[in-house]
Amino acid sequence: MAVSAHQAVAMLERAYADNSVASPAPASPPQTWRGTSLSIAGTSLLVGEGGIDEIVETPAVTSIPGTKPWVMGVAAYMGGLLPIISGDVFFRGRPYTGRVRDFCMVIRKPGFYFGMTLSGVERDMKFTLDKRDMDCAVEEDFAGYTLGSFCDGDRCWAVLDIDKLVADSELSNAAATAAVSIEDTNDD
């Protein structure tokens, strides 16, 4: 008895289904964390992807009287004004006297838009999330602003949490606490 083409295909399908092995389930790729390696006040840090708007050359700054010491001033930037904060003075409490801070990170969050000077910019990095160490020791000046760290070989970077940074009440109030009037300092 002759077998039709359709019957032959049906027999092949049954034979394949009976003898085949199920395909292995694809392994899910490990979750990764991506961010930028930079340094503020000489401390190497990571900032998560999307945490900052961009990194730019520090623009020329016009100082603003009556502000806290870490407020360098405002800069003309993309058709508007961008407040510039010294990362050295904000975190360390003292200005840096070495080379000029050539770059700043621009942070744009609801209610906040400013640039913060950087002491260095390295590169974009990625780590698997299982490598994040939430108990790693962090420099005291940055401890309240970080959320874990990542290590690669003998080098570790604390993760600067921009949300913790902008939640700091000190950052949201840039006005100097004690204003000195010019009239009060005149020697008559």
Side-chain angles (χ1 to χ4, degrees), residues 106-120:
V106 177
I107 298 172
R108 186 188 310 261
K109 293 283 184 181
F112 291 90
Y113 179 58
F114 63 93
M116 181 174 280
T117 60
L118 304 173
S119 55

Side-chain angles (χ1 to χ4, degrees), residues 33-34 46 48 127-136 146-151 157-161:
W33 182 95
R34 290 181 163 86
L46 292 170
F127 299 93
T128 57
L129 279 179
D130 62 333
K131 301 289 185 200
R132 192 167 197 167
D133 181 357
M134 299 305 283
D135 299 319
C136 186
T146 59
L147 188 59
S149 65
F150 289 101
C151 294
W157 296 268
V159 178
L160 180 65
D161 186 338

Side-chain angles (χ1 to χ4, degrees), residues 148-167:
S149 65
F150 289 101
C151 294
D152 184 22
D154 62 342
R155 191 159 176 215
C156 289
W157 296 268
V159 178
L160 180 65
D161 186 338
I162 300 299
D163 291 327
K164 285 185 176 183
L165 179 64
V166 298

Side-chain angles (χ1 to χ4, degrees), residues 26-32 128:
S28 59
Q31 290 186 324
T32 57
T128 57

Side-chain angles (χ1 to χ4, degrees), residues 16-94:
Y16 179 76
D18 292 341
N19 297 319
S20 66
V21 176
S23 298
S28 59
Q31 290 186 324
T32 57
W33 182 95
R34 290 181 163 86
T36 302
S37 171
L38 47 81
S39 54
I40 300 174
T43 299
S44 295
L45 299 164
L46 292 170
V47 176
E49 188 174 59
I52 58 176
D53 216 27
E54 61 185 323
I55 295 176
V56 298
E57 286 187 52
T58 303
V61 175
T62 302
S63 63
I64 305 171
T67 58
K68 297 213 173 142
W70 42 263
V71 177
M72 294 175 64
V74 293
Y77 178 72
M78 295 183 68
L81 294 176
L82 178 67
I84 303 294
I85 294 171
S86 169
D88 295 281
V89 179
F90 183 79
F91 287 105
R92 302 275 193 219
R94 62 186 181 280

